[in-house]
Amino acid sequence: MAAPFDLEAFAGELKQKKEQVEAYLAEYLPAKEAYPPVIHQAMHYAVENGGKRLRPILVLEGARIAGGSAESVAPVACALELIHTYSLVHDDLPAMDDDDYRRGQPTCHKVFGEANAILTGDALLTAAFGLIAANGAEEIDPAGIIRVISLVAEAAGSQGMIGGQVLDLEAEDAGIDYEDLKKLHRLKTAELFRASLLAGAILHKMPAQGLKALERYAYNFGLAFQITDDILDVKGDPSLTGKPVGSDAKNGKTTYAVLLGLKESENLARQCIEACLESLAGFGPEADFLRRLALYVMHRNS
Ligand code: GRG
């Protein structure tokens, strides 16, 4: 029988990877003092305000499973975190969710003003593509970089994350059923996870069959992640999640917890985690971190 999942040990492992990502971010983000300072201060503020760094961790893992070094894909890992951060900065704006706090700290527009927060998101997104394109690691083939630019553009764009956000805004007024909620979250959440995991693997030339398996993992991981996010919104500890209990319901959002109830949502998350583990059947111990990460999503408290 498999050993029970040790949340505390895995949290330590995640923390180490997060620190590695943060060291890369310190290296690749334009300096805070760069001209004009306000935009660079705001970019640093948004990026340095915590976060689990899951997307860059997935980039590094994709590369590692394909036999490559973390170093060789570090700019791409940073790029995925910058895109994620831009989406949060824009999502918090008055025209979107109108949130005053993110991870327990005042949101970017609260500190730097609305116009600067819009520009901060724009600058982060633009910098992300600059980082991917400028990856000069010797072992990386430029053809791989072009594939990754296209993959990330698709995942972040109107048929990916932005499309998901549009469906989310529409659902606030019109309501949404279970199938459409799944579609919304595939676009809004899972596409960026997919692009992250595949990017590292593509840059290290993983064959198509492996990429297919990682893609299945990422979609199920994204769905499980979103379902547990909804569950945490109902029964999470605000001191760990950084947001008050019930904020989705307060904002009129349809969630899995609302549509299915907590118990059924937990069952569905469990099924997604099982699908994640099944999708890794063709990999050996090199995919053990991804296996633990899937189990972590089931047990996470933030
Ligand atoms: C405004 C362009 C635009 C897009 C917004 C991603 C997104 C779309 C909005 C963010 C709000 C949200 C609840 C998104 C769903 C994905 C999700 C659960 C994001 C939070 O990801 P974590 O938990 O964040 O990885 P941390 O804080 O750890 O970085």
Side-chain angles (χ1 to χ4, degrees), residues 51-55 81 84 86-88 90-91 96 102-103 161-162 165 188-189 193 225-226 229 300:
K52 295 179 285 298
R53 316 299 191 192
L54 289 177
R55 294 149 192 85
E81 186 64 7
H84 168 59
Y86 123 74
S87 79
L88 300 181
H90 280 191
D91 190 59
M96 303 259 184
R102 162 79 47 193
R103 306 177 185 127
M161 183 177 72
I162 290 178
Q165 179 76 350
K188 182 170 155 177
T189 307
F193 282 132
F225 187 83
Q226 189 59 57
D229 210 60
R300 75 194 182 105

